[in-house]
Amino acid sequence: MELTSVHIDKPDDLNVIIGQAHFIKAVEDLHEALVGISPHLRFGLAFCEASGLRLVRTSGNDDELTELATKNAAAVGAGHSFIVFLREGYPVNVLNAVRQVPEVCGIFCATANPVEVLLAVTESGRGIIGVVDGDTPLGVEGPGDKEDRRQLLRQIGYKL
């Protein structure tokens, strides 16, 4: 077995969700789930088919994001993995809908941070064993940081 990593190529202003599903039906079901979130949400998704034709299956409502998802899914190349790029929306707004898609087995990350996908490569193929999501913490929040966090969440409308 060989261990390797793939850096996800994405602009800083995009969010990405990386997960695993078990059937190509996930492509259409994820698309339907995301469209139902908001008319403003822009997304592109790609799914690595693990058997049969073994194609990268794609969908989305934004050609640029769909192309980016396709490029990154092909680079990861892990069977049954999927990548969704979001614009005009955040993972916190879509994760419950994504988790409710029957084919979704799990989610590795949902972030705007730089991401590396950690892969195990065997004779059978590639599998995602985890992700590196962002940077290492520089310290522990103090009282002022806690208040800043609380205020930010209220300012952007996530808490009352």
Side-chain angles (χ1 to χ4, degrees), residues 62-139:
D62 182 295
D63 291 341
E64 176 190 353
L65 298 181
T66 303
E67 183 178 323
L68 191 60
T70 303
K71 174 182 150 187
N72 280 281
V76 170
H80 286 151
S81 63
F82 66 87
I83 296 178
V84 178
F85 282 102
L86 302 173
R87 180 176 283 140
E88 306 300 327
Y90 300 97
V92 70
N93 304 120
V94 304
L95 279 175
N96 283 337
V98 169
R99 282 187 193 105
Q100 293 302 311
V101 170
E103 298 83 21
V104 171
C105 300
I107 296 171
F108 293 103
C109 71
T111 187
N113 293 330
V115 176
E116 280 185 85
V117 177
L118 307 176
L119 298 163
V121 182
T122 71
E123 291 180 18
S124 299
R126 290 176 148 201
I128 297 174
I129 58 174
V131 298
V132 176
D133 175 0
D135 297 321
T136 303
L138 298 175

